[in-house]
Amino acid sequence: MRPFTYQRATDAPSAVQALAAAASTNTALTDGAIQPLAGGTTLLDLMKLDVMRPSVLVDINPLSNAWSAVSLDGGNLKLGALARMSDIAANPDIQRNYPVISDSLKLAASPQLRNMASLGGNVLQRTRCTYFRDVSYDNCNKRNPGSGCAAMDGFNRTHAVLGTSEQCIATYPGDFAQALMALDATVEITGKAGVRSMPFADLHKAPGNSPQIETSLLPGELISAFSIQGRWPRSTYLKVRDRQSYEFALSSAAIALDVQDGTIRDSRIALGGVATIPWRAREAEALLKGQKFGDALASQVAEAAFKSAISRKHNAFKIALGKRVVSRGLQQAATMEI
Ligand SMILES: Cc1cc2nc3c(=O)[nH]c(=O)nc-3n(C[C@H](O)[C@H](O)[C@H](O)COP(=O)(O)OP(=O)(O)OC[C@H]3O[C@@H](n4cnc5c(N)ncnc54)[C@H](O)[C@@H]3O)c2cc1C
Ligand code: SF4
């Protein structure tokens, strides 16, 4: 690991001030930049692998008192970005009103990691593409812009089939982000200019021609909270992986339904393990509105969710698998006892 300086923020203004000295674009996520440190479970791994080379770490954990609260006011949920994954997964109000959130967190990583890892760090975790994480490969456009993509003609079994570009096919690896997508969450961002909010769906950027730019956060900005309007008791997260524990998704679906007298009034579907960013299947979910749930409808929706999928040499199975995950996730949500 390369030498770096450790700073401990005392409050939000001091954290933001320290981070504002960061490089002028968020491409500096990989090299030389100043990085916030939350649980450290992604950041320190990548530093040990020499993939991320920050010169300064700003420890934001002293902000936990202010930034790890959970509030459920008038049916609206606010989650602090420094809340730990395990605490949110075990929260009975969240289990009752937003099972998709608790399921997505419980099915992620391991108990030890969930005890350390924060919600903000979780949504900002970086791809598990093996070529990205192994610096002996020079050709990775995300790590080394303009160098090519080793995965394109390499072993790409775990890579994405949705939202890809000719520059990068890396899968977004997290689980919780899909729950936030399905619940139309808003992300609260704290920076030098104060606090701003934006739809969570706008946080991650598809790779396009600049896979090294992964989010729309500005230099020095921190995620401080996530907000969700309304309660979604009929919601679920289904995750399929190579083994049943401690593994990233090959395909997952976060589903939220609002059903009245057997008719679907509102529906949201977000996909994980198959796309370059947390992926909302808007065209597919629209097919459910005003309908009664049934197997034929579920298959139609699943087909629509993967209409634009593009597979590479080793990952075509993800399209068939993803469709089954959507169908089964819908079935699971539609038949939940609430
Ligand atoms: C073996 C293993 C298996 C895993 N399996 C899964 C899995 O199945 N599903 C899953 O979802 N995840 C999985 N993970 C990922 C794990 O959940 C993440 O490492 C963790 O959630 C990151 O949170 P953290 O607080 O430790 O982030 P950190 O490592 O501290 O930070 C991650 C990144 O986010 C930045 N950051 C952190 N907080 C903020 C903030 N508030 N504002 C702005 N920037 C911030 C940091 O600078 C850094 O770049 C796994 C990890 C490991 C090591
Ligand atoms: S898929 Fe993306 S992250 Fe992986 S090698 Fe290609 S450019 Fe790098």
Side-chain angles (χ1 to χ4, degrees), residues 127 129 131-132 139-142 148-151 159 167-170 211:
T127 182
C129 170
Y131 303 102
F132 171 75
N139 45 342
C140 170
N141 286 324
K142 193 181 272 301
C149 170
H159 287 70
Q167 271 61 51
C168 181
I169 55 172

Side-chain angles (χ1 to χ4, degrees), residues 60-83:
I60 57 173
N61 288 293
L63 282 58
S64 284
N65 275 350
W67 284 11
S68 59
V70 178
S71 71
L72 188 53
D73 269 351
N76 296 326
L77 177 66
K78 187 167 176 181
L79 300 171
L82 282 171

Side-chain angles (χ1 to χ4, degrees), residues 29 35-45 52 60 67 81-82 84-85 104 107-110 113 116-126 128 173-176 217 221-224 239 241 246-249:
L29 271 177
Q35 283 284 307
L37 172 71
T41 61
T42 284
L43 182 54
L44 296 182
D45 265 5
M52 290 181 80
I60 57 173
W67 284 11
L82 282 171
R84 263 42 197 181
M85 291 170 73
S104 73
L107 293 171
S110 65
L113 284 161
M116 277 303 284
S118 65
L119 299 185
N122 185 273
V123 301
L124 293 175
Q125 66 181 284
R126 306 190 74 192
R128 309 301 287 195
D175 292 300
F176 172 56
L217 288 179
E221 284 189 327
L222 286 166
I223 295 181
S224 36
K239 176 174 177 179
R241 41 193 163 164
Y246 199 21
E247 187 52 281
F248 292 91

